Amino acid sequence: MRTSPVIPVLVVHDAAKARPLAEALVAGGLKVLEVTLRTDAAMDAIAEMRKVPGAIVGAGTVVSIDQADRVRDAGAEFIVSPGLSTTLGEHIVASGIPFLPGVATAGDIMRGLDLGLSHFKFFPAETSGGTKALRALAAPFHQCLFCPTGGITAASAPEWLAIDPVLCVGGSWIADGTPAQVEEKARAAAALGRPDARR
């Protein structure tokens, strides 16, 4: 979450395009890549992206223990889930792989704290009340840090990044276009903030 201000949320339909996509993103300055398990090509895409020097490749949309085990076997370096169940959370935490669970309510965050977690994905960010909702949620949970994801755009990302407990945002807008266009979008996204200057 501290590596760059934007984590690309990637839906890869063709594994053959995974490596060029990762190369373009990394060249543009975005090294942390979240491959969502929304397609049949996702597992192969993770393996292909892992071949790109400098890429830190994880799996998103992980909703079951079986998926968590399979993405770990595929080489995923972190796991992101859209929500947080105690069963899945306990399993991933016990595995030792970095885990960013989705939260949208105070109860979700408290469940995560019970599991020893303090870093969360606020999801779906825009439809869960936007920046006002996150500010309200973050106030009583001062020990927590967030990566808002869901509906965030290049235009709205700076507003989210201005919230103190937000280390980065997740977004899919970066991955559209040719490799050259993706690299250009990645470079613009990487310039949105200085993660090393954030707590």
Side-chain angles (χ1 to χ4, degrees), residues 83-86 101-115 120 122 137 140-141 144 146:
L84 176 59
S85 71
T86 301
V103 298
T105 67
D108 292 339
I109 296 172
M110 290 172 68
R111 192 177 310 117
L113 291 173
D114 284 345
L115 292 168
F120 301 99
F122 180 55
L137 272 177
F141 298 108
C144 297
F146 298 91

Side-chain angles (χ1 to χ4, degrees), residues 12-92:
V12 181
H13 294 277
D14 182 357
K17 297 180 180 179
R19 187 167 179 173
L21 175 59
E23 289 171 342
L25 290 165
V26 171
L30 300 183
K31 298 179 180 180
V32 182
L33 313 177
E34 177 189 338
V35 180
T36 64
L37 300 189
R38 300 181 189 181
T39 70
D40 293 337
M43 294 293 180
D44 290 336
I46 290 171
E48 283 299 307
M49 290 185 172
R50 283 289 312 276
K51 298 174 183 177
V52 177
I56 302 168
V57 185
T61 323
V62 175
V63 298
S64 70
I65 288 174
D66 176 65
Q67 286 182 331
D69 290 342
R70 288 195 294 128
V71 298
R72 191 179 62 224
D73 291 343
E77 296 173 81
F78 62 91
I79 290 176
V80 182
S81 64
L84 176 59
S85 71
T86 301
T87 301
L88 179 61
E90 287 177 343
H91 181 79
I92 298 175

Side-chain angles (χ1 to χ4, degrees), residues 98-180:
F99 178 39
L100 187 66
V103 298
T105 67
D108 292 339
I109 296 172
M110 290 172 68
R111 192 177 310 117
L113 291 173
D114 284 345
L115 292 168
L117 301 169
S118 60
H119 293 61
F120 301 99
K121 175 173 83 164
F122 180 55
F123 177 82
E126 290 292 349
T127 57
S128 293
T131 56
K132 288 183 180 179
L134 182 56
R135 283 192 174 94
L137 272 177
F141 298 108
H142 58 87
Q143 69 272 56
C144 297
L145 298 170
F146 298 91
C147 174
T149 306
I152 295 175
T153 66
S156 65
E159 182 180 2
W160 285 98
L161 290 166
I163 301 172
D164 187 53
V166 171
L167 287 182
C168 60
V169 300
S172 58
W173 79 87
I174 310 150
D176 294 331
T178 66

